[in-house]
Amino acid sequence: MGTRDEVKAGAKQLAREAESNSVFEVLARAGYVANALIHALIGVIVLVIASGGKGEGDQAGAMKAVAGAPAGFVVLWLIATGLCALGVWHAAEGLLARDRSDDTEGAVWKWGRRLAEWGQAVVFLVLGLISAAVAVGARPNADQTAEDASRELLRIPGGSIVLAVIGLAIGIAGVVFVVMGAGRSFSARMRIPDGALGRWVTALGILGFVAKGVALTTLGVLVIVAAFVTDAQAAGSLDGAIDAILALPLGPALAWTIGIGFFAYAAFTIARARFARM
């Protein structure tokens, strides 16, 4: 067996051992609870903004809100631990994805699954690192960071194209969330119980996925607009997407719906911690 094959086999063996570790599974499930807390806080901030108040309606803003609470740094470290464990779990899931069949269609399915799992892994790991950074005193501004990054991209040849592609990717992710919610495809990765509890979990998943998808799609549109008008200030974070929604006809009502949707997504994610197939 060649060196490359040995490395691949060793990585897969480590992934299998990690997924069979009950302590690691508990930490990964705790990551869903941490993610739920963040989304619940985003929901609160979005509702405050929709009511005319001030706030940062994104993940960094939610973590800074936690930092301001008594013993907030302890909670932030717990959030960071859970999110990083969940990120590693998704990375292992992607590595262990197999072909459904020994043909082109099977290979496409495997790599589609891998990219989806690794994409989630990156998101959770980044959020975990942000939580750790806030715990030690950092106070990131997602809007300013997005604007600065967009400005640097627009300064280089072809940067506007790269920025447009990033916006398109964010928009597609938003559409995927909407489709997953409307089609209830999230249930395929869960053991949803029968009866009233199962119906509640499904309803929360539908509302939560659709609401988050609308917010992400709006953010993607903002980034694409920034690329076409070559104006970095037009790009923003999720906070900027909420501001854009508020400027629309019936914007406050839509923002309220999205805020409530984030609460629903948070409640669904807590159920996911219990019922996810892991």
Side-chain angles (χ1 to χ4, degrees):
M1 182 182 292
T3 303
R4 181 179 176 183
D5 290 337
E6 290 174 353
V7 171
K8 186 186 297 185
K12 287 186 176 182
Q13 181 60 32
L14 284 174
R16 291 188 190 95
E17 291 175 359
E19 290 198 341
S20 63
N21 187 298
S22 58
V23 175
F24 183 56
E25 180 181 338
V26 169
L27 289 174
R29 289 185 185 276
Y32 282 123
V33 178
N35 195 34
L37 174 60
I38 292 171
H39 280 82
L41 288 171
I42 292 174
V44 171
I45 297 170
V46 169
L47 292 180
V48 168
I49 296 172
S51 302
K54 299 292 184 181
E56 293 180 47
D58 51 37
Q59 288 89 342
M63 291 175 185
K64 284 187 279 187
V66 173
F73 74 97
V74 176
V75 178
L76 285 169
W77 278 114
L78 292 174
I79 289 173
T81 301
L83 289 174
C84 287
L86 186 55
V88 174
W89 184 279
H90 279 290
E93 282 283 287
L95 187 62
L96 295 175
R98 298 179 178 178
D99 293 352
R100 282 184 168 179
S101 55
D102 295 327
D103 55 16
T104 303
E105 184 178 347
V108 169
W109 184 90
K110 180 182 74 174
W111 281 101
R113 171 76 183 279
R114 280 184 169 176
L115 291 174
E117 294 289 348
W118 288 340
Q120 292 183 77
V122 169
V123 169
F124 288 125
L125 287 170
V126 168
L127 288 177
L129 292 175
I130 292 173
S131 183
V134 175
V136 297
R139 294 296 181 265
N141 186 313
D143 252 350
Q144 189 61 50
T145 300
E147 184 180 322
D148 291 343
S150 299
R151 183 176 292 109
E152 292 302 317
L153 269 177
L154 291 172
R155 285 177 179 170
I156 64 175
S160 59
I161 296 175
V162 175
L163 190 58
V165 170
I166 292 172
L168 182 61
I170 295 172
I172 290 173
V175 172
V176 168
F177 265 85
V178 172
V179 172
M180 286 180 68
R184 307 180 186 184
S185 60
F186 54 81
S187 62
R189 303 297 304 279
M190 299 175 64
R191 298 183 181 90
I192 296 179
D194 297 326
L197 177 58
R199 291 192 291 272
W200 271 104
V201 170
T202 300
L204 289 169
I206 293 170
L207 179 56
F209 270 85
V210 171
K212 186 173 180 177
V214 170
L216 285 175
T217 302
T218 305
L219 175 58
V221 170
L222 290 178
V223 175
I224 292 172
V225 168
F228 276 98
V229 302
T230 61
D231 180 7
Q233 289 185 340
S237 64
L238 186 58
D239 191 30
I242 299 302
D243 288 338
I245 289 170
L246 285 171
L248 298 172
L250 299 177
L254 181 56
W256 265 85
T257 302
I258 289 174
I260 293 171
F262 274 108
F263 276 114
Y265 188 82
F268 166 79
T269 305
I270 290 176
R272 194 175 184 182
R274 171 65 180 83
F275 299 117
R277 297 179 186 275
M278 301 184 77

